[in-house]
Amino acid sequence: MKTLAIDTSNFVMGVALVEENKVIGEVITNLKKNHSIRLMKAIESLLADCDTLPKELDKIVVAEGPGSYTGVRIGVTVAKTLAWTLNIPLVGVSSLEIVAANGRYFNGLISPLFDARRQQIFTGLYRFDNGQKLRNEEKDQLVINEQWAGKLKEYNESILFIGNDIEAHKEILTSVLGEQALFASVSQYNPRPSELAFLGMQKEATPVHAFVPNYIRLAEAEANWLKAQEAKNE
């Protein structure tokens, strides 16, 4: 079974082709460039390099969010289009879960995070069972960094923070958690599309037309519109 994995939920763009337990090809970049221009070219190039035709794909796995609204939409739109056109299953995986997978051999709790501005972070809490099965301990959420650190303090065990945005929140996390807070190396920051593929293999597919991104919060324009409507109704 050949699986194509797509992640454009943040600055990192990742595409991977996996067959059973083998990573055939993988492309990862961490650039402030338009994913909408580069994604299809990356997919086409990867499939060509791996001598694979689109019709040979058996499943599409995509990072469903949270993250950049535009980035998540681009990846999900392309994934849905491919799955519908090829008539193959579509599976969504949390963008945070993909990053957490980089902490596979950490013996403790893993907190992946993305910056959400104004001291807010998208995060969740994960743990590996014997380095194999990744388990969610606290659901993905949008939270103030200091509040999150306070909650993690109650676990009374080491927490590995991981992701490209940890430097922006490191001071606050350390001030609350002290030695309880550990930080991944730079080489572990980028989400791996091959990990995304393997995570997706363990999950149930979603009907293409029912598949929606998980933004966790409304876009600012949507939130402002809802407030305006509430004020008008009052």
Side-chain angles (χ1 to χ4, degrees):
M1 174 179 285
K2 289 185 177 180
T3 299
L4 178 70
I6 299 168
D7 184 359
T8 61
S9 54
N10 287 283
F11 283 135
V12 175
M13 184 189 77
V15 181
L17 182 63
V18 170
E19 185 172 16
E20 302 301 336
N21 293 319
K22 178 182 179 181
V23 179
I24 304 175
E26 187 170 31
V27 176
I28 305 172
T29 60
N30 185 11
L31 304 168
K32 294 182 180 180
K33 290 188 176 181
N34 195 327
H35 294 326
S36 64
I37 296 173
R38 304 172 59 240
L39 179 58
M40 282 307 302
K41 292 179 181 178
I43 293 173
E44 291 172 359
S45 177
L46 177 64
L47 293 180
D49 288 345
C50 297
D51 296 320
T52 300
L53 297 173
K55 66 181 181 180
E56 297 178 275
L57 298 174
D58 299 292
K59 180 181 287 187
I60 304 291
V61 181
V62 65
E64 64 183 14
S68 158
Y69 293 111
T70 302
V72 171
R73 280 196 294 268
I74 291 168
V76 168
T77 299
V78 170
K80 290 180 69 171
T81 301
L82 287 173
W84 174 252
T85 303
L86 299 170
N87 193 27
I88 57 178
L90 174 64
V91 177
V93 176
S94 161
S95 301
L96 289 163
E97 185 177 356
I98 304 164
V99 179
N102 288 347
R104 179 178 300 276
Y105 299 108
F106 178 71
N107 184 26
L109 293 164
I110 305 166
S111 179
L113 66 82
F114 305 140
D115 181 63
R117 296 185 298 178
R118 302 185 182 94
Q119 300 302 309
Q120 298 178 103
I121 54 175
F122 290 117
T123 190
L125 196 62
Y126 294 82
R127 186 197 302 273
F128 271 102
D129 288 333
N130 300 317
Q132 300 299 318
K133 181 74 173 180
L134 185 60
R135 186 174 77 241
N136 184 231
E137 297 281 348
E138 295 279 354
K139 68 178 183 178
D140 292 353
Q141 56 194 278
L142 175 66
V143 63
I144 299 295
N145 52 18
E146 190 171 7
Q147 293 177 355
W148 179 244
K151 185 173 187 177
L152 297 183
K153 188 78 173 176
E154 299 173 4
Y155 277 88
N156 197 32
E157 59 180 300
S158 295
I159 313 288
L160 178 68
F161 292 95
I162 190 166
N164 280 302
D165 298 328
I166 60 175
E167 291 299 328
H169 303 276
K170 191 172 185 177
E171 184 176 349
I172 289 293
L173 297 172
T174 303
S175 68
V176 175
L177 291 165
E179 294 182 357
Q180 193 178 341
L182 301 175
F183 300 91
S185 65
V186 174
S187 61
Q188 294 175 297
Y189 286 180
N190 289 342
R192 296 291 301 272
S194 54
E195 288 284 7
L196 167 59
F198 290 124
L199 289 168
M201 290 178 184
Q202 303 171 27
K203 300 179 185 293
E204 294 293 325
T206 301
V208 174
H209 293 307
F211 190 101
V212 293
N214 179 22
Y215 296 122
I216 293 185
R217 68 177 178 187
L218 294 175
E220 187 173 354
E222 294 176 284
N224 290 339
W225 183 86
L226 287 174
K227 287 181 180 178
Q229 295 306 305
E230 291 176 1
K232 185 185 296 184
N233 292 333
E234 291 175 356

